[in-house]
Amino acid sequence: MHSINIKGLCFSYGKNNVLNNLDLEIKENGVYCLIGKNGSGKTTLLKILIKFLPHKNGSISINEKDLTLFTLKEISQTIGFLESEMPNIPLSIEEIISWGNFPFEKADRQIQDVVNELHLENMKDKNFLSLSTGERKRVLLGRIFAQSPDIVLIDEPFNFLDPKYKIEVSLLLKKLGEKSIVFIATHDIEAVQFVSEKVFVLSNGKIQLEDTPEKVIKSSFINKAFDIPKSLRKKFEQFYHIDANS
Amino acid sequence: METTNNKLKFLLIPLIFIFAVIFLLSLSVGDINTPLKTVFKVLTGNGDALSRSVIIQIRLPRFLAAAAVGSMLAIAGLIMQTIFRNPLVDPYFLGISSAAELGISVAIMLGVSSTLFGISIMSIIAFSFSVILIFGIVKIARLKNFLESKIAIVLLGIAISYMLSAVNNFLIFYKKDIFIKSTFWALKGFNTANISEFLFAVPFLVAGLIYILFNAKKMNIYLSSDLTAHSLGINLSKFVPLMLAVSALIAAASVMIAGSISFIGLFTPHIGRLIAGEERKKLTIVTLLLGATLLPAFDLISRTVLPSQEIPINIITALIGAPFFIYLFFRSKNAQH
């Protein structure tokens, strides 16, 4: 079984403390969401987990091995990562999915299986740039399927998606979650409720609450996590159909 | 993969045909026109003495130098455009040609005029100045902050270029006779092309090409973003400076043969893209062939368009290249919409 274990993690950009003694533990496969307002440090945490940013204080272990002992190649073989920005890649879909093989330096892993599984057969020669945002997201997830890593980290997977693709992407994330730990950073509260087993609320550099999506959404922490002012709380609860009193 | 290879073959056949036509025309056309029949005879080891000396000693080295420089600039430009994810950069923009020109001015000041193994020492000094500059830039590029912000390297290149030009202008201002000599060197084109310079420079092209073809997949992934490239195991603090160094070395070797030649390094990769798409392995091979065809074609025009007179190749590349580039730009814009 795969695992992520973070203890006492601190990170700052210059004097700006972003993560402050953060603890987090995931021990089972499944889909887990990290929620928090813009600038709360969600993306920073994901970047630290792939060693794009260095961590100085605290310890991180992936599959019970200290992150500092991972080489970059081992990271790419263990962790699949998708960033929040939609990249403009002027290449074919088949080429992009084949990147999933790159960390393993062999081409015999079945790209065709992924193409079939994600129903991309008719478009595999198409240019990525000619696709809609939803289709592009499906292709990028296809690359993660080809990589089949132990841990999947995705930053804002639901950005700019219409309802159909939001559901489709959620289902693909759940499928990935059967074999991997899928850890996503998002502020899409509706999708969080549909997709995740557990939600971590990041605020003031720490995980303030971890629970099932239903409980987190109804907790008073949700207002704190997204910094909703008192004057807007009623509207916020109406907007997301949150019954705070139940 | 089979279909990709077939597509590549399909693309390469017409390109190789055009390359062969330019090759034969370059050997055949000139002040003394040599019929193609005679060219074939000379190439197969026969033919009369005059034709042999014109073709083997003058036109063939000139064609080889132009083809090598064309493919070097095209490949160096393609790498730069990939590393900066910016289609508007060319191989010289980090100051390679300014460094070489400063090297030439210094060599003229020192009164260097001899040759070493058939290569002019002036050219070797020019090359050395470029190499010193490359190592300086690579050293700076390895600093993490610069890697994160490619625009910083671009600004650094522009600043260094201006600085080197200023020093060069100062030398020229002090010793005015440098001006004519260094201008001639910068615009020398393939007038003085010799086989020794060609043989010195080609290994850079071959080594660079092998390196690029082995790293084509990395270049494809790198097109996506730094973050994605890193997450797939590409060590950016090694990959980016190495690619910069490979491109700059190839460009420096080309400057040594022919001085600085405008536009080829900028627009050849663009034509390559229109033909082969963005996949780096295919694009590299097609761009290489295009560079090796276009520059000898421009050289042919430069030495034949006016009777008994040669126009500097830079004028031809800019006069033909710039409008062609603008046409391509608008064509591809229209195609996108």
Side-chain angles (χ1 to χ4, degrees), chain B residues 310-322:
Chain B
E310 190 170 324
I311 304 171
I313 184 128
N314 249 326
I315 296 173
I316 301 294
T317 53
L319 273 182
I320 299 176

Side-chain angles (χ1 to χ4, degrees), chain B residues 68-148:
Chain B
V69 168
S71 37
M72 286 163 132
L73 288 174
I75 293 297
L78 176 61
I79 301 174
M80 284 292 185
Q81 291 173 5
T82 305
I83 290 299
F84 291 98
R85 300 189 189 98
N86 182 341
L88 295 175
V89 298
D90 79 354
Y92 301 136
F93 93 107
L94 287 179
I96 301 298
S97 58
S98 308
E101 281 162 23
L102 178 61
I104 285 300
S105 295
V106 171
I108 294 168
M109 262 185 85
L110 295 174
V112 175
S113 61
S114 51
T115 59
L116 186 70
F117 304 115
I119 304 167
S120 99
I121 293 186
M122 267 169 72
S123 295
I124 294 173
I125 293 177
F127 181 73
S128 311
F129 269 62
S130 302
V131 170
I132 293 167
L133 173 77
I134 295 159
F135 278 109
I137 288 176
V138 166
K139 190 100 184 147
I140 294 169
R142 287 188 77 111
L143 299 174
K144 194 165 168 51
N145 289 345
F146 275 96
L147 267 177
E148 278 169 9

Side-chain angles (χ1 to χ4, degrees), chain B residues 239-256:
Chain B
F239 178 70
V240 173
L242 243 165
M243 277 288 173
L244 276 179
V246 168
S247 166
L249 274 174
I250 295 174
S254 83
V255 172
M256 199 188 101

Side-chain angles (χ1 to χ4, degrees), chain A residues 217-234:
Chain A
I217 302 297
K218 286 174 185 169
S219 77
S220 57
F221 262 113
I222 199 78
N223 291 312
K224 205 175 160 189
F226 289 106
D227 216 3
I228 310 289
K230 267 187 181 164
S231 57
L232 286 179
R233 279 185 193 167
K234 210 78 205 144

Side-chain angles (χ1 to χ4, degrees), chain A residues 5-10 21-25 57-61:
Chain A
N5 197 337
I6 304 174
K7 281 203 177 91
L9 179 67
C10 299
N21 222 4
L22 180 143
D23 296 332
L24 185 148
E25 191 176 23
N57 297 318
S59 69
I60 300 173
S61 44

Side-chain angles (χ1 to χ4, degrees), chain A residues 47 50-52 72-73 76 79 81 83 87-91 95 98-99 102-103 125 143 147, chain B residues 1 7 144 217-218 220-221 223-228 230-236 278-280:
Chain A
K47 284 181 179 174
I50 56 164
K51 285 177 98 170
F52 192 76
L72 194 54
K73 192 172 177 180
S76 64
I79 301 176
F81 174 84
E83 61 191 295
N88 286 319
I89 315 168
L91 295 168
E95 165 68 22
S98 78
W99 294 356
F102 181 77
D125 292 326
R143 193 261 285 170
Q147 201 174 345
Chain B
M1 285 298 111
K7 276 182 202 161
K144 194 165 168 51
K217 191 63 134 189
K218 276 190 190 175
N220 284 341
I221 294 173
L223 283 179
S224 175
S225 73
D226 281 3
L227 205 48
T228 297
H230 171 94
S231 75
L232 283 166
I234 297 172
N235 185 343
L236 295 172
E278 294 274 0
E279 199 285 308
R280 261 27 191 186

Side-chain angles (χ1 to χ4, degrees), chain B residues 152-175:
Chain B
I153 302 180
V154 175
L155 291 173
L156 182 76
I158 293 170
I160 289 175
S161 245
Y162 273 109
M163 204 173 72
L164 295 173
S165 294
V167 176
N168 194 23
N169 287 339
F170 179 74
L171 293 183
I172 290 169
F173 177 75
Y174 238 117
K175 286 198 92 174

Side-chain angles (χ1 to χ4, degrees), chain A residues 26 78 90 96 100 123 136 141 164 180 192 199 225 228:
Chain A
I26 300 173
T78 313
I96 292 169
M123 47 203 273
R136 287 185 189 190
L141 282 169
K164 179 193 138 194
S180 320
V192 164
V199 178
I228 310 289

